[in-house]
Structure formats: structure tokens, C-alpha cells
Amino acid sequence: MKTETSLNEKQGHWILAKLGKKVLRPGGRVLSEWLVKNLEITSKDDIVEFAPGLGFTANIACSYKPFSYTGVDMNEAAAALAKKNIHYENSRVIVADAAASTLPDAFANKVYGEAMLTMQPLEHKKAIIAEAFRILKPGGYYAIHELGLQPDNVSDEVKNDVFKELSANIRVHARPMTPSEWKALFEEQGFKVVKEQHNAMLLLENKRVWQDEGIFRTLKFFFNLFTHPDLRKRVMNMKKTFRKHQKNLDAIALVVQKPL
């Protein structure tokens, strides 16, 4: 493991990954599995994932034996890690921005991404969604699993407080949105929302860690927390932030369709 000082400078999800956590999505394993199930992947599908991370969801998607899987990540090191972790013969990971994937028009039947739109400014969110629209075949589906805000009428004051604390403690400029805002964003880009699901944002709560990771990885994660006090302090600050805003944070998954 790198020195704690250098690790402490990284974004929160990479801290958790270095401590042994595999499931890093806001709605946990349950919402990732819902997303893949509701994409209804078949052996005829070319599927694309934006920012595959550690490859956890990619392996779930590839268990449905799609015709091909393509991961897109703009970070070379992250792309190499995903490539190493994805165990499927008909898979590849390319280095590119999700807003400019280099893939052909109408390349894919299914596109998905998790916990990556949240971290983008509004205009880049729109650019990524537009790219998904471009590379999808007519009638194709795009699914997301992202951090959400509740309720729909949450005040700007609460929003700004959440944005500020997420930025300070997780070290990403996270901009979660309400369900209505997320859906409007996709509809503005030409998609039709067809399915919606939510789960509590309990990423660092003991019960969710156990549910997501299983017994052995949970024990490894807590052992690493115990033996790396500087990183433990960072993780506890993240957990404190999530708990403070628990009534306003949730995880949202959407499946949207490109018109025929």
C-alpha cells in the first residue's frame, strides 16, 4: 500500500478501494444488480460501460454473455485496472473521455455508467449523455446508477451545503440531483425514461458493507481501517458527512431509451 500521506490526497472512492472495498456505488450491490437486470442484456448485445472502475458491475453484465463489452475510461491507470479485473473473453477497455468515446455512431445496444455523472459539471453531464445517445442504436437503452437528492423540492441552501461537504470530505466536486432533475436532464437530450429505482445511500454503514462485500472482504476492509489510522480518519469523516445528510441523500438508478 502506498504511504498514507499520498493516499490521503486521493478521491474518496480510491481510498476505499485501496482499503479493500470492491463495491463503491452509492446504492450498493443491490442497485447495481437491478441496473444490469433491467438492461435485459442478451447474447446479441454490444454493451458499453462508461468508467468501469474496478470492474465489479462489468463482471455482472458480462455474466449475461453479451456479444461484446467495451469499457471507456479516460484514466490510463484506471482503464488498465478494469481490464485486469474484467474476466470475459469478448471484452475490451479503451482510454477515452466518456463525452468523446471514439466509438462509431449506433455502435451499442446498451450503455450504462455508475457514480460518474454525479461528479461532472452540468455541461459535461450533458455531453456524456449526448455521447451515449450518439453511440446507441435506435431503441437502445442507457442506464445510470448515481447519487441523488431528496426530496424533489429540496432547498438550494441544503443542496449547496451537501455539495460543499462532499467536495471537502470526498475530494470530488459531486453534484447529485433530485429525481426530477435527473429525469429532465435525460429527456432534454432526447431520451425517454422507462424505469426508475432508488436505494438508501448507506455506503459506509456496517450493514451495507457486509451486504455488499461478504464476510471475508468485510473483515479485510475493517482490518485495513484499523491498521491505517490516517486513512481511517478520512473514511470516518466521509461517513460522518453521509450520516449528516442522510435524509437528503439517496441512490437513484434510471433506465432510459433512445427513440426508434
Side-chain angles (χ1 to χ4, degrees):
M1 189 176 286
K2 295 180 180 179
T3 65
E4 292 183 12
T5 300
S6 64
L7 276 177
N8 240 329
E9 296 170 356
K10 288 188 172 290
Q11 295 176 339
H13 58 284
W14 289 116
I15 296 285
L16 298 175
K18 287 294 184 181
L19 289 169
K21 199 168 192 320
K22 299 292 186 183
V23 181
L24 302 170
R25 310 313 192 190
R29 176 192 294 266
V30 168
L31 207 54
S32 291
E33 290 176 343
W34 181 92
L35 178 149
V36 175
K37 179 180 179 181
N38 283 274
L39 273 176
E40 298 181 355
I41 295 168
T42 75
S43 60
K44 297 180 180 179
D45 287 336
D46 292 297
I47 64 174
V48 174
E49 179 176 11
F50 292 154
L54 299 178
F56 174 80
T57 306
N59 283 312
I60 299 175
C62 288
S63 72
Y64 288 80
K65 307 298 182 185
F67 187 77
S68 73
Y69 166 93
T70 302
V72 179
D73 202 302
M74 66 184 302
N75 182 288
E76 286 192 25
L81 183 60
K83 186 175 181 179
K84 178 182 177 181
N85 289 339
I86 297 169
H87 309 296
Y88 187 57
E89 183 179 11
N90 298 326
S91 69
R92 61 174 176 158
V93 180
I94 62 174
V95 178
D97 187 339
S101 69
T102 72
L103 296 171
D105 290 354
F107 170 80
N109 307 89
K110 314 281 170 68
V111 176
Y112 71 95
E114 298 182 288
M116 55 89 67
L117 286 175
T118 301
M119 295 187 283
Q120 310 302 323
L122 180 60
E123 290 308 310
H124 202 225
K125 282 182 171 71
K126 291 180 179 180
I128 292 169
I129 295 169
E131 180 69 353
F133 192 94
R134 182 188 70 80
I135 67 173
L136 273 171
K137 295 174 182 177
Y141 293 92
Y142 179 25
I144 64 155
H145 170 183
E146 298 288 341
L147 192 59
L149 285 173
Q150 293 279 7
D152 266 328
N153 63 351
V154 62
S155 70
D156 288 340
E157 181 181 359
V158 170
K159 285 183 183 180
N160 290 331
D161 192 26
V162 171
F163 297 163
K164 181 179 178 181
E165 294 205 26
L166 289 176
S167 179
N169 292 307
I170 306 176
R171 302 199 183 148
V172 295
H173 296 294
R175 291 293 184 272
M177 301 168 71
T178 66
S180 290
E181 289 170 338
W182 277 118
K183 287 183 280 189
L185 187 63
F186 284 94
E187 288 165 352
E188 288 167 8
Q189 300 299 313
F191 283 104
K192 176 185 177 181
V193 178
V194 294
K195 292 183 181 180
E196 176 180 354
Q197 185 63 276
H198 296 259
N199 200 17
M201 215 305 278
L202 302 172
L203 181 68
L204 294 176
E205 297 299 327
N206 292 350
K207 184 177 180 180
R208 173 68 63 78
V209 174
W210 188 277
Q211 180 186 48
D212 284 347
E213 306 295 337
I215 183 170
F216 296 111
R217 287 207 303 260
T218 296
L219 291 173
K220 177 183 178 182
F221 176 66
F222 284 121
F223 175 80
N224 287 336
L225 270 182
F226 179 77
T227 54
H228 296 83
D230 285 355
L231 298 185
R232 181 171 71 248
K233 181 178 179 180
R234 174 84 184 276
V235 172
M236 290 303 103
N237 283 338
M238 291 165 58
K239 186 173 183 177
K240 182 179 179 181
T241 298
F242 294 152
R243 280 186 171 177
K244 177 180 177 181
H245 298 288
Q246 187 170 321
K247 71 177 183 178
N248 295 116
L249 286 175
D250 84 336
I252 181 171
L254 296 174
V255 178
V256 301
Q257 186 178 25
K258 179 177 178 175
L260 289 167

